[in-house]
Amino acid sequence: MDAPHSMGTTIIGMEYAEGVILGADSRTTTGLYVANRASDKITQLTDNVYVCRSGSAADSQVVSDYVRYFLNQHTIQIGKAASVKTAATLVRELSYQNKSFLETGLIVAGWDIHEGGSVYGVPLGGTMLRLPFATGGSGCSYLYGFLDQAWQPNMSREDAEKLVVKAIALAIARDGASGGVVRTINVNAYGVERNFYAGDQLPLFYDELAPRPTLMQF
Amino acid sequence: MSTIGTGYDLSVTTFSPDGRVFQIEYATKAVDNSGTVVGVRCKDGVVLGVEKLISSKMLLEGSNRRIHAINRHAGMALAGLAADGRQIVTRARTEAANYLSFYGEDVPIKELSNRVAHYSHLCTLYWWLRPFGSSSIIGGYDIDGPQLYTIDPSGVAYRYYGAAIGKGRQAAKTEIEKLRLAQMTCREGVMAVAKIIYGVHDESKDKSFELEMSWVCDESKREHQRIPSDLLMEAKAMARDAQEDDLDAF
């Protein structure tokens, strides 16, 4: 119960035609115990920028809180919305300068008026890399090949969302530290939209059992 | 000519009974006595021009520059005490570099101007400091387009379409107001600024001067740079001819 909470996780950030989709599973573990089976790993930094968190739950929360604070002040100072690049740079700066204390991999994604949708991966150690799609967490190993083949530039909103959900479902199937529900956030010029996919809405793959209503009598 | 402060002008931390801080006003006088500096914002960029009064024939041409680059996309032209101006330039460069390092993007020109203004104002708050005897005109081109700001010794920044500081500012402002800046390109702006500076230069009162000009515009790929030498020569020649034409009008 007191062991550090870790988010063995699968997180994804992906560019599509009009913006970005962020997706994550919802399992938070302390050792083998699932401390929270419905966590929300996608956190807001500004109106137009969100971050997917993985690794140590505490570290990723604190980094997000600091960056939200800096961005809030920055937005007021410059008088307009912060860019995704600025948000990612702040996340990177904290990750890099405190690399010996932190253990968190983050994906910063959002929409701004000059670049449109952008996704930045900021893994352990504090690298910052802009990518068309980024994955993170313990489940990401299972997705590299899949996404290399499946991602196309300029997808529609529906296709991108389906791809993100399918990818996380695949990772959940193979990674014990990922599970629960799939949450997605879509950010584009028109705003932000959250979605939630419970277990029975996720696609099933080889050898998986379909969820069934319980046989217990109450 | 001197205003009588009657004891309220001895320190920058003293207000006068009518709400003025005389030390700041005296600092502004240092600016008003220096060579004219003009800035105009055209539709595709900003042009800066300086009437650099030459104090000695022994000075190498092009020395004692009055226009400095702050970063790739912004430049600053100075009026007033040269050494004070140098300090402000250094501070502006540091602010721009720090912003880039911290936020990962070039500093917006508005933010840069605000920071320089903040620094100038800082030096009006403590009795052990004196205000900067220097005003600057910042011309820059960022993601929101070309912008022009002035910062004075009191520490306020104003955004302008066209601005002038220094000796000939009144005459220069009158001329700038006649220009249709929103329709002008920077090439046309260069000619106009050269003409204005040659026009406000007082041959009788001052020694000779050197015209120093820079721009940041679409043609320079949004980078702050000195005017290409051929364009500068053309502008100088045209401005000189215009002065002679005016004399001939008698």
Side-chain angles (χ1 to χ4, degrees), chain A residues 41-125:
Chain A
K41 302 181 186 178
I42 312 179
T43 308
Q44 183 180 35
L45 295 179
T46 68
D47 290 344
N48 56 317
V49 182
Y50 281 73
V51 62
C52 293
R53 302 179 291 111
S54 77
S56 153
D59 288 353
S60 65
Q61 280 177 8
V62 162
V63 169
S64 302
D65 287 347
Y66 269 115
V67 174
R68 190 179 312 118
Y69 169 71
F70 289 137
L71 281 173
N72 181 243
Q73 296 196 305
H74 180 62
T75 305
I76 292 169
Q77 182 135 31
I78 60 173
K80 50 186 175 172
S83 65
V84 185
K85 188 174 185 186
T86 297
T89 303
L90 291 170
V91 169
R92 184 272 299 274
E93 205 57 22
L94 283 171
S95 283
Y96 178 75
Q97 299 294 353
N98 297 293
K99 59 162 78 197
S100 46
F101 305 112
L102 295 173
E103 191 195 298
T104 171
L106 301 150
I107 297 179
V108 181
W111 185 93
D112 61 51
I113 200 162
H114 297 298
E115 290 291 322
S118 19
V119 174
Y120 289 85
V122 184
L124 258 49

Side-chain angles (χ1 to χ4, degrees), chain B residues 8 10 14 21 53 57 68 72 84 100 111 123 125 146 149 168:
Chain B
Y8 298 112
L10 296 174
T14 307
V21 182
L53 297 167
K57 283 198 172 50
H68 299 89
R72 275 235 150 78
D84 288 15
L100 176 62
E111 181 65 16
C123 299
L125 294 173
Y149 290 87

Side-chain angles (χ1 to χ4, degrees), chain B residues 1 21-34 79-81 84 124 130-135 151-156 165-167 169:
Chain B
M1 186 193 116
V21 182
F22 281 107
Q23 280 296 312
I24 298 178
E25 295 186 17
Y26 296 161
T28 313
K29 286 220 173 36
V31 176
D32 294 342
N33 289 336
S34 96
L81 301 177
D84 288 15
T124 66
R130 65 165 174 78
F132 282 108
S134 168
S135 281
I151 298 113
D152 65 12
S154 70
V156 285
I165 51 181
K167 279 194 163 79
R169 68 188 176 288

